[in-house]
Amino acid sequence: METRNYINGRFIDSSSKRKLHVINPANQSKVGFVDEALDEEIDLAFDAASKAFKSRVLQDMDAVVKSNLMRLIASKLREYKTYGSKLLSKENGKSIEQCAGEFEGAAAIFDYYAGLTDKIENKLIPSGRDTFNCVVLEPYGVSLQIIPWNYPISLFARSVAASLVVGNTVVVKPPELCPLSSSIFGLIFNDVKIPNGVVNIIHGYGESTGRKAVLHGAVNQVVFTGSTEVASEILKATADRIIPCHLELGGKSAAIIYPDANVDKAVDSTVKGIFEPNAGQICVGMSRIIIHPKIKDEYVSQLKKKTEVLKVGPGNQPESRVTPLISKEQVDRVSNYCKIGKQSGASLLTGGEKIEIGKGNYFKPTIFDNVDYLSTIAQEEIFGPVLTIIDFETDEEAIEIVNSTDYGLAAGLFTSNDEKAKWTAERIEAGIIWHNDWFVDGVNLPGGGYKKSGYGRDGGMESLFSYGQTKRISKRLYQE
């Protein structure tokens, strides 16, 4: 298990000798540690990335060579899947099955973008007989990418793969709560012989290493996935330098369940949308249900039964469906929101409290009914296994409720009427809309936020324009 920072093509010893200790959220045991990167390591990482960018090693690399390199990374991710998924489960808490899915998904991301290296086509724009105009996509330069703790492997891959295609060099700061598995990328980059300085990995706390990295003079772009509050601090820190930022932030995703919906499908989608994926610690979790009274009793009855039999337990037990929260602080956060929900007058149908399983960070899957759509638990991101149910009478009221929060990352709807589905999707303020299921996804599909859920897009060809900038080249033609 590698614990050092990966800079300029090798793992280096930290001059500070300071360590970040990693704790297993399932039992509070020590998983390991990583070296903390401070001023010297941060400078080395950005110096390496800057030199690699200025050398044009990525921009001038043959498209086929780059494609083959990225496919090798994908292949190596699959080789490390068994080892990596067990390590990630220990430090993050998710089920081994979900962690293996992250490695497989990360491999799919590199495979997909490997296929795009020779498909970025410049545009020729006609404007007269004696002119020649073309538009090209170029990189920003050095991209700082700050990765969240809930899906660290897939989101590392998502940002780095797109950057490699466009030509950015990268400095990555993995999450301090679960950094160990990210070091696997450094091992892979050495295995495939990626050019030195193209990707660098520095470990540390957000308040110290992350802040210093954002303020570094060599940064040309910041890519951040995380809370709206931290994103606001990043924007303030980069505003004077006019640094472009690519942000995927919080969410309060809602699903509208119309009277003609398939109840069984809606219930199954809810369980997999808010309780099973990482115990609800996911920015696109189905945290709000907006449902018509005609179908509500049947839906709530089925959902409550299925929720109360979900097995809560550690990620290394295959039968566990709801795994631990990432930290004691996160347990307290979710618990406090549940107290606020009860105080607001919402009906607690099930859950709402911690569950004692050894020393783990476990919380019961929770359902609140009869929720005021403007109340705290219906407006703020809880980031845990908590669902709020809200009634609506008219279609217009449902849209008003969906759009009532500051967020707009994802939403969904359940109806057998395609015309109504189209009408609804057009009116929801969110970057992703799912119809009759939750998590209808693929690496070739773009996603991103509206409002305080951020801006920029990840996934598909569209994401390349969030990692690069266009340049127009115009020429006046002369005849000798």
Side-chain angles (χ1 to χ4, degrees):
M1 181 167 59
E2 184 55 70
T3 63
R4 296 173 294 173
N5 295 290
Y6 179 78
I7 298 173
N8 202 26
R10 62 190 181 94
F11 290 98
I12 67 168
D13 294 322
S14 173
S15 61
S16 73
K17 307 301 182 185
R18 288 166 59 171
K19 312 292 184 186
L20 276 70
H21 292 279
V22 182
I23 304 299
N24 187 332
N27 55 27
Q28 307 308 305
S29 65
K30 290 183 179 179
V31 181
F33 64 86
V34 292
D35 290 354
E36 183 177 4
L38 295 177
D39 293 346
E40 182 176 336
E41 291 80 23
I42 294 169
D43 285 342
L44 286 172
F46 280 103
D47 183 60
S50 295
K51 287 179 179 177
F53 180 73
K54 290 173 183 176
S55 76
R56 296 185 59 90
V57 63
L58 284 178
Q59 291 167 274
D60 293 342
M61 185 180 290
D62 181 84
V64 175
V65 172
K66 186 186 290 187
S67 177
N68 290 340
L69 183 67
M70 295 178 71
R71 292 194 192 282
L72 281 174
I73 294 172
S75 178
K76 286 292 181 179
L77 279 163
R78 294 187 175 98
E79 288 181 22
Y80 277 99
K81 180 175 70 174
T82 299
Y83 165 76
S85 58
K86 291 178 181 178
L87 177 59
L88 178 57
S89 180
K90 286 180 182 178
E91 62 174 350
N92 173 278
K94 285 201 298 280
S95 70
I96 291 177
E97 178 186 6
Q98 289 186 38
C99 293
E102 268 209 69
F103 276 87
E104 195 61 48
I109 289 168
F110 274 99
D111 270 338
Y112 173 77
Y113 284 102
L116 294 186
T117 59
D118 60 353
K119 296 176 181 64
I120 299 177
E121 298 176 345
N122 299 334
K123 292 193 297 185
L124 181 66
I125 302 176
S127 62
R129 294 176 57 189
D130 62 344
T131 60
F132 177 90
N133 304 281
C134 68
V135 177
V136 299
L137 178 64
E138 295 200 339
Y140 284 114
V142 177
S143 176
L144 168 63
Q145 301 180 357
I146 301 175
I147 310 299
W149 50 260
N150 57 342
Y151 289 90
I153 300 302
S154 58
L155 299 188
F156 188 121
R158 183 180 73 178
S159 297
V160 169
S163 290
L164 294 181
V165 174
V166 178
N168 295 307
T169 57
V170 182
V171 175
V172 180
K173 195 203 85 64
E176 60 263 33
L177 291 172
C178 51
L180 289 165
S181 52
S182 295
S183 291
I184 291 173
F185 280 101
L187 298 172
I188 290 173
F189 296 149
N190 277 352
D191 287 346
V192 304
K193 295 180 172 53
I194 196 168
N196 292 348
V198 166
V199 184
N200 307 271
I201 304 170
I202 54 173
H203 297 294
Y205 295 105
E207 296 85 353
S208 52
T209 304
R211 182 180 296 277
K212 290 177 179 179
V214 168
L215 293 172
H216 201 280
V219 172
N220 300 119
Q221 181 199 29
V222 177
V223 179
F224 174 75
T225 301
S227 73
T228 303
E229 293 76 17
V230 173
S232 178
E233 293 301 313
I234 290 173
L235 289 170
K236 292 172 186 175
T238 56
D240 288 344
R241 293 173 291 153
I242 322 294
I243 301 296
C245 295
H246 173 31
L247 308 171
E248 182 179 295
L249 310 176
K252 194 66 179 175
S253 302
I256 300 174
I257 303 179
Y258 285 110
D260 64 343
N262 182 315
V263 174
D264 292 340
K265 188 65 177 176
V267 169
D268 289 343
S269 290
T270 305
V271 171
K272 79 171 185 179
I274 187 62
F275 299 135
E276 291 184 337
N278 203 13
Q281 298 169 117
I282 179 170
C283 51
V284 292
M286 189 197 290
S287 57
R288 293 185 295 157
I289 292 294
I290 301 164
I291 191 166
H292 196 278
K294 287 183 179 179
I295 203 171
K296 179 179 175 180
D297 288 347
E298 183 183 0
Y299 167 83
V300 170
S301 175
Q302 287 192 34
L303 178 64
K304 187 171 182 291
K305 289 177 183 176
K306 289 202 170 188
T307 300
E308 290 179 339
V309 299
L310 291 172
K311 172 69 173 176
V312 180
N316 63 357
Q317 294 182 2
E319 65 272 18
S320 297
R321 307 316 301 169
V322 181
T323 49
L325 300 181
I326 189 69
S327 65
K328 293 294 184 186
E329 292 76 14
Q330 191 67 15
V331 173
D332 291 340
R333 172 188 171 92
V334 175
S335 182
N336 287 335
Y337 271 112
C338 288
K339 291 175 183 176
I340 291 170
K342 287 184 279 189
Q343 292 168 358
S344 72
S347 304
L348 178 63
L349 299 186
T350 188
E353 61 186 2
K354 294 179 279 188
I355 179 170
E356 299 296 332
I357 303 176
K359 297 180 180 179
N361 307 328
Y362 297 99
F363 203 90
K364 291 182 179 180
T366 300
I367 303 173
F368 280 102
D369 192 9
N370 303 314
V371 177
D372 181 340
Y373 78 93
L374 294 177
S375 66
T376 299
I377 61 169
Q379 289 288 310
E380 296 184 10
E381 185 176 40
I382 298 173
F383 225 59
V386 180
L387 176 72
T388 58
I389 300 177
I390 304 163
D391 293 5
F392 77 93
E393 291 290 344
T394 67
D395 298 350
E396 290 76 14
E397 183 186 8
I399 297 298
E400 180 183 351
I401 295 170
V402 172
N403 293 336
S404 66
T405 75
D406 289 334
Y407 300 107
L409 192 54
L413 59 122
F414 292 83
T415 178
S416 59
N417 185 327
D418 284 344
E419 186 175 347
K420 176 170 286 189
K422 179 177 181 293
W423 181 91
T424 303
E426 290 172 345
R427 286 160 176 78
I428 293 176
E429 298 167 353
I432 302 170
I433 309 294
W434 289 306
H435 180 198
N436 286 342
D437 200 358
W438 207 257
F439 301 133
V440 184
D441 288 318
V443 295
N444 60 335
L445 301 175
Y450 279 33
K451 301 188 285 188
K452 287 187 177 179
S453 287
Y455 44 78
R457 293 295 179 263
D458 283 294
M461 294 191 69
E462 192 170 337
S463 72
L464 300 180
F465 293 93
S466 291
Y467 289 87
Q469 52 196 339
T470 56
K471 174 188 285 184
R472 191 192 86 195
I473 302 171
S474 297
K475 179 180 180 179
R476 178 75 62 187
L477 304 179
Y478 293 101
Q479 287 185 350
E480 295 292 337

